[in-house]
Amino acid sequence: MVDDDALIEPKTSNPERHVVLVAPEVHWNTGNVGRTCLGANATLHLVHPLGFSLDSRQVKRAGLDYWPRVDLVEWNDFDHFLTGMTPEPGEICLFAKRGSRSYRQMPLKARMFLIFGSETRGLPDTVLQRYPDAHYHVPITRDIRSLNLSTAVGIALYESLRDASPRHGWPNITKP
């Protein structure tokens, strides 16, 4: 008898995911993104300036008791992030409301950097201009201005893991 799991050959077995928040302003969004990153085995990068203190009780509340376990890296600015992480251009996906392509069209690479801007201003033009071919959006209706940042991150992050080996930390709940 053949094990059904043996028939699944994922394109990416151990994906490396990085969520980058550039100048986030709302502490509970960052806490929620941190919790999602922990659940998806992704690193959270925060690019200063931040609109809140990481010592904030609200950040910890949104991240619940998971916050200390989040793989978190802080950067003084976007240039320091680029120098420290050295992402290849094909590994970068910038998310903006006016991104030219749907998030479903992003390339699924072994190493990816999903980059989001602040809640009120989005990504700075200087960042958008560096990677003109890497602009994506999560489709929304005209009934709203935008999705909540933590919601958009969750959608894009899990889509980027679509072809990865299914791994669920709670056994016997679902099959891949």
Side-chain angles (χ1 to χ4, degrees):
M1 181 168 177
V2 177
D3 180 11
D4 287 342
D5 290 342
L7 300 176
I8 299 171
E9 188 168 278
K11 294 179 184 176
T12 309
S13 59
N14 288 316
E16 181 181 330
R17 294 295 179 264
H18 300 269
V19 171
V20 182
L21 302 183
V22 178
E25 300 166 327
V26 181
H27 44 70
W28 60 79
N29 280 334
T30 299
N32 286 330
V33 169
R35 182 178 182 182
T36 300
C37 285
L38 182 61
N41 197 34
T43 300
L44 174 58
H45 300 265
L46 300 180
V47 177
H48 285 255
L50 307 181
F52 52 87
S53 165
L54 285 177
D55 294 331
S56 165
R57 160 173 73 91
Q58 285 83 9
V59 173
K60 292 174 184 165
R61 183 181 302 147
L64 297 172
D65 55 339
Y66 309 115
W67 188 249
R69 297 192 330 238
V70 172
D71 185 8
L72 176 66
V73 183
E74 291 182 72
W75 302 95
N76 289 333
D77 55 43
F78 195 72
D79 287 332
H80 281 99
F81 160 74
L82 291 175
T83 301
M85 294 305 298
T86 62
E88 296 293 323
E91 297 173 336
I92 290 181
C93 296
L94 305 175
F95 288 88
K97 177 170 46 176
R98 300 189 194 280
S100 57
R101 289 182 298 256
S102 167
Y103 73 105
R104 290 180 171 222
Q105 295 175 302
M106 69 179 155
L108 301 179
K109 307 265 186 170
R111 181 178 189 231
M112 292 179 69
F113 294 85
L114 310 175
I115 303 174
F116 299 82
S118 72
E119 289 87 345
T120 61
R121 292 184 303 275
L123 284 168
D125 286 339
T126 55
V127 173
L128 290 166
Q129 290 166 2
R130 274 187 201 213
Y131 304 98
D133 297 326
H135 298 189
Y136 299 90
H137 66 270
V138 176
I140 58 173
T141 67
R142 289 188 174 265
D143 295 327
I144 59 172
R145 286 184 301 280
S146 63
L147 289 175
N148 177 278
L149 176 62
S150 61
T151 300
V153 167
I155 291 168
L157 178 57
Y158 277 92
E159 175 66 15
S160 80
L161 294 167
R162 177 172 36 96
D163 284 347
S165 294
R167 57 192 146 122
H168 189 55
W170 294 88
N172 302 321
I173 291 178
T174 61
K175 287 211 167 226

